[in-house]
Amino acid sequence: MSTAHAKKSYLRVSASHMVLNLASELYASTGQCLMELIRNGLAASMPGPDVWDPKRARIELMLVKHHCLAPDNGPALIVLDHGSGLTAQSLERYFEWLGAPLEELRGQQLRSGGNGVSQKGIGRLAALALNERCVTGDLMDRVQNGYYLLTRTAGQEGVRFVAVIPAKAEADQGFETDRFISRKAREMQALGDVAGSFTAVVIPTPVFKTEGQVYDSIKWLLPRSCDRMFDLTINGKEVLPPPLEDELSHTEGAFSVHLGVAEKGEGGVWLCDAQTGLRVASCLNVRALPEPLWSPEITGDIFAPGLLAHQNTARSSLARDYMRRDNPEWEKLRMFLIREIAPRAKSLLSRDAIQGEAAETLNELAEMFNDVFGL
């Protein structure tokens, strides 16, 4: 049978799938969703997929109290990067592909994975989970809400404006990507002074109500190593992550460890990508690691090369395929932690416990003397 005129059926993505499975029910936290957008901005700021130079990136987060794109002129969250903007190729990638196409994956294999920042090919839809109207209420109402993408490439006159509304995308069988607005258009609110290329994601009715909530959601997900941190502002104010722990510090080859004792047992250690400094996997979710690294009584960061490319889709752990016993990279990291770090971490906890018990005893003695002698 001839296939010259064979009928082709195209896979379509439903509005409910976008809102639920690819956004609100996929990620472990709102902070992880926001970090997806930040990571997209970082990738757009690099000169190529094999390069990681965080000082090239400038990411601005803005909470606007009244925005024309929000219902009833309400609040909006803007995630702005000053990267390359969406080129014709990246525009196709953004709106026509769900997940990384094979050609891109082959390129990553030839380059040994690149910097790993652009990985799953679905992170853009995390913005839906940051619109409160997309995550609460009746599903039929939720899919009517979304976010807006504004982007400009170098030398481009107008600003490309795309409405990412799941219900409309399903009805229209795609997104309208050829609408352009001027830099003085009302939709450019808070962006009119931006020069050069950029991409901005405008999210109406955000789940965050204050600058503090925005920062708290991402502060433990930012690169804590100073030389890996990029320029990040919230409403024009520079923000930095908490400093690295220093109670237990050790470096050996490509591995680096910074641990401490968590306050009130509410900590947790993270495996981090050595190149980007980004947190990849919570050790609370990786029981293959030696005790006590998965204990909430320990906090801090373990840096190892090449981890970002193997992060799971929920952005909370490593892909199972990576953590196989026959994977030499994983076993090398595990053996290092078993041999060098786990014993020291146990000693750290023991020392802290002894100091805690001694302090309690001294307090009890002080109370006794006060009762007896009235001191």
Side-chain angles (χ1 to χ4, degrees):
M1 186 177 96
S2 172
T3 59
H5 302 288
K7 178 183 177 182
K8 292 183 180 180
S9 295
Y10 293 91
L11 185 65
R12 300 170 187 170
V13 181
S14 69
S16 61
H17 187 56
M18 281 188 261
V19 167
L20 297 176
N21 304 320
L22 298 176
S24 61
E25 295 181 0
L26 178 60
Y27 297 95
S29 67
T30 55
Q32 294 285 9
C33 295
L34 182 52
M35 280 303 299
E36 283 293 279
L37 306 185
I38 291 174
R39 280 170 59 160
N40 286 347
L42 293 174
S45 302
M46 297 301 116
D50 299 324
V51 179
W52 184 256
D53 181 5
K55 303 310 177 185
R56 296 177 64 101
R58 181 158 64 99
I59 309 294
E60 298 182 57
L61 308 180
M62 292 176 266
L63 266 181
V64 181
K65 289 185 178 180
H66 303 286
H67 199 285
C68 64
L69 291 174
D72 303 319
N73 203 37
L77 171 69
I78 301 175
V79 181
L80 168 67
D81 74 74
H82 297 266
S84 61
L86 283 179
T87 62
Q89 182 180 1
S90 55
L91 189 72
E92 177 186 353
R93 172 77 161 75
Y94 194 106
F95 288 107
E96 296 184 20
W97 287 92
L98 187 61
L102 290 176
E103 182 179 1
E104 183 174 312
L105 294 177
R106 291 189 190 101
Q108 290 177 4
Q109 290 178 342
L110 291 173
R111 300 189 309 268
S112 300
N115 57 38
V117 176
S118 182
Q119 180 195 3
K120 303 294 184 183
I122 59 175
R124 56 195 176 274
L125 295 177
L128 295 173
L130 298 178
N131 184 331
E132 192 168 51
R133 295 195 178 196
C134 285
V135 296
T136 59
D138 183 77
L139 179 60
M140 294 300 105
D141 294 327
R142 292 162 64 181
V143 297
Q144 304 293 334
N145 297 275
Y147 65 93
Y148 301 90
L149 183 85
L150 295 86
T151 185
R152 180 174 59 210
T153 56
Q156 195 175 65
E157 287 292 329
V159 175
R160 192 183 301 271
F161 178 90
V162 185
V164 184
I165 311 297
K168 180 172 174 54
E170 180 180 313
D172 296 346
Q173 299 182 26
F175 300 93
E176 181 186 350
T177 60
D178 58 355
R179 178 187 171 190
F180 288 86
I181 60 176
S182 75
R183 61 182 299 175
K184 295 182 179 180
R186 59 193 294 271
E187 292 90 345
M188 286 287 289
Q189 183 178 342
L191 300 171
D193 295 331
V194 176
S197 58
F198 74 91
T199 296
V201 177
V202 180
I203 306 166
T205 56
V207 294
F208 306 113
K209 308 305 178 189
T210 66
E211 296 175 22
Q213 289 178 356
V214 175
Y215 176 68
D216 287 343
S217 75
I218 59 173
K219 67 180 180 181
W220 295 109
L221 301 173
L222 297 169
R224 296 175 71 186
S225 180
C226 294
D227 62 340
R228 292 291 176 263
M229 185 55 189
F230 47 91
D231 184 353
L232 176 66
T233 61
I234 300 178
N235 280 7
K237 303 170 188 172
E238 182 185 17
V239 294
L240 296 169
L244 288 166
E245 305 296 331
D246 59 4
E247 291 181 76
L248 194 169
S249 297
H250 181 75
T251 299
E252 182 177 306
F255 301 132
S256 179
V257 177
H258 302 269
L259 301 180
V261 177
E263 295 183 9
K264 302 178 181 178
E266 297 178 355
V269 177
W270 279 76
L271 296 176
C272 306
D273 182 70
Q275 183 184 18
T276 64
L278 292 169
R279 283 184 159 185
V280 175
S282 169
C283 293
L284 298 172
N285 302 323
V286 187
R287 289 304 176 98
L289 295 175
E291 188 182 5
L293 297 181
W294 39 260
S295 168
E297 296 180 359
I298 292 280
T299 187
D301 301 85
I302 298 169
F303 296 88
L307 293 185
L308 193 59
H310 303 286
Q311 191 176 33
N312 71 348
T313 308
R315 304 309 194 198
S316 59
S317 187
L318 288 165
R320 291 182 182 179
D321 188 58
Y322 181 78
M323 295 186 287
R324 300 189 324 267
R325 288 293 181 92
D326 60 349
N327 179 4
E329 293 180 10
W330 171 244
E331 280 304 289
K332 185 178 180 180
L333 172 59
R334 253 182 23 101
M335 290 303 104
F336 162 71
L337 295 176
I338 291 171
R339 184 184 70 252
E340 298 291 341
I341 304 305
R344 303 185 192 192
K346 288 179 181 178
S347 298
L348 187 65
L349 281 180
S350 299
R351 185 190 70 192
D352 187 72
I354 291 171
Q355 291 174 343
E357 290 171 3
E360 269 187 45
T361 302
L362 287 174
N363 286 336
E364 290 172 0
L365 286 172
E367 289 178 7
M368 183 182 72
F369 271 89
N370 186 55
D371 291 341
V372 174
F373 299 105
L375 298 176

